Amino acid sequence: MAFFAALQREPDLKGINITQIITFTRLLSLLKHDIILCQPVNISTTEPPDFLPPTIRTFISEATGIGFDTIPKCWHLLKEDIWESPQPQLSAEEENLFRENGWKMGINCNTNYHHNFSIQDGVRTYYGDTPKYIQVGEHQFVEHKLIGLWISLMLVAWVSATNCARSYDMALSEQQERDFAAGGWQFGCVLTTDHVWDAFVILTLLNYNDRKGTCLQVPHTGDQRDRFTGVMRERNREVIEEGQDEVGHCCDKCMHTLKRPDGSECTFFIQLYFLLHRGGF
């Protein structure tokens, strides 16, 4: 094996023992998703990348005792074997390595990965960059250009979410005539009003976070209808305190002022408008 041959000729590898090599290989085999998520979008997922993310490099160094500067050389020699290895079942000692060295850096062996987001400790974290297809239901995905069309119809033609769903089913999907859910199947094929509204909210929040260079995080637990309320409130607060992204103005269409019983006034914005970003679709 090339690695063991390198142990004999490379001075900075001579102090590495077999236990460290096994731990190095097993931990990185489990972290392949984390490794690829930090790579440029044009990097193939079927081949190991040339470099490890800095946080994973630090974690592996602390967990195995291999020097931080030696990790890249070990990765170069072992990455092909690691990438082809199946995900291992961690021992109690290896799980403890994650608790002691990984958790403080956000590296957790209990992260579940989905098409648009990962789930860890009850928190759903969406990946950076708006995906082509956005998950709007348990088993429903919508192309982001179609969502942009629905949003444009709402703003320009005042088409309701209900009519966006109806027109799609009537003109494009034709699923209203063969809804599997009506026959007892657990997954429905008819687009619903909730799907349209969820698509609206998710896409606009993803675009907003893309502009800020952040990742959208929401609770994974609870009802879907409540999942995005907190981040929408935070966006409300930001607009009230800092103004809208494009135009610093107030009008009676997007801003309303109510008078409380004690005579004080309360100002609020309609969420529909300031979640949007012109040209973001």
Side-chain angles (χ1 to χ4, degrees):
M1 187 177 179
F3 185 82
F4 292 102
L7 285 177
Q8 304 301 318
R9 66 174 185 269
E10 298 286 346
D12 51 349
L13 297 181
K14 287 184 178 179
I16 300 176
N17 59 50
I18 188 65
T19 301
Q20 290 174 304
I21 296 171
I22 293 173
T23 304
F24 180 93
T25 302
R26 286 173 58 81
L27 294 183
L28 286 174
S29 295
L30 192 72
L31 293 172
K32 283 184 281 190
H33 287 295
D34 299 76
I35 294 170
I36 205 65
L37 280 175
C38 299
Q39 306 298 325
V41 294
N42 60 335
I43 295 296
S44 172
T45 60
T46 60
E47 298 179 0
D50 292 331
F51 304 100
L52 291 174
T55 52
I56 291 181
R57 184 176 162 188
T58 300
F59 163 64
I60 293 298
S61 177
E62 294 182 1
T64 63
I66 299 174
F68 181 81
D69 294 332
T70 307
I71 295 294
K73 186 170 290 186
C74 294
W75 171 249
H76 175 72
L77 294 169
L78 292 170
K79 63 180 182 179
E80 299 292 342
D81 294 324
I82 291 171
W83 218 249
E84 294 176 1
S85 300
Q87 182 171 306
Q89 181 67 40
L90 292 184
S91 65
E93 292 79 7
E94 290 168 333
E95 289 182 356
N96 193 51
L97 290 176
F98 276 96
R99 282 191 292 270
E100 292 183 351
N101 304 288
W103 287 11
K104 61 186 178 183
M105 291 180 280
I107 299 174
N108 193 315
C109 58
N110 295 317
T111 301
N112 294 319
Y113 296 91
H114 298 257
H115 182 74
N116 291 162
F117 51 82
S118 63
I119 302 169
Q120 180 182 339
D121 297 330
V123 176
R124 176 185 294 187
T125 302
Y126 283 80
Y127 310 134
D129 297 326
T130 302
K132 183 176 181 180
Y133 299 100
I134 295 175
Q135 186 171 357
V136 299
E138 190 69 23
H139 298 277
Q140 292 82 23
F141 292 80
V142 181
E143 187 174 3
H144 81 270
K145 287 186 177 181
L146 177 58
I147 302 173
L149 173 63
W150 293 337
I151 294 174
S152 297
L153 288 172
M154 291 181 185
L155 295 179
V156 176
W158 294 94
V159 178
S160 67
T162 299
N163 285 334
C164 283
R166 286 175 178 170
S167 60
Y168 174 82
D169 282 330
M170 292 174 62
L172 296 177
S173 74
E174 300 180 349
Q175 292 293 345
Q176 75 277 7
E177 297 180 359
R178 51 179 183 273
D179 182 15
F180 297 138
W185 199 44
Q186 59 178 322
F187 307 129
C189 296
V190 173
L191 185 70
T192 68
T193 302
D194 287 341
H195 290 148
V196 175
W197 275 121
D198 286 342
F200 179 105
V201 171
I202 294 171
L203 179 57
T204 50
L205 287 173
L206 287 175
N207 284 338
Y208 166 68
N209 279 270
D210 282 349
R211 298 196 301 274
K212 290 182 61 180
T214 57
C215 290
L216 173 62
Q217 287 189 317
V218 295
H220 184 66
T221 55
D223 295 333
Q224 174 76 357
R225 63 183 180 182
D226 301 323
R227 182 160 290 129
F228 301 95
T229 302
V231 289
M232 292 174 71
R233 283 203 184 103
E234 178 60 23
R235 179 66 173 130
N236 283 352
R237 182 203 60 76
E238 184 177 298
V239 170
I240 292 172
E241 295 181 359
E242 302 177 18
Q244 299 193 42
D245 295 344
E246 299 182 24
V247 181
H249 83 286
C250 295
C251 68
D252 57 9
K253 287 186 177 180
C254 60
M255 187 189 80
H256 290 257
T257 301
L258 299 179
K259 185 167 290 187
R260 296 189 179 97
D262 61 2
S264 62
E265 293 184 343
C266 172
T267 301
F268 68 94
F269 287 78
I270 299 176
Q271 294 174 344
L272 175 65
Y273 291 91
F274 56 75
L275 278 173
L276 295 176
H277 176 65
R278 187 175 58 211
F281 310 106

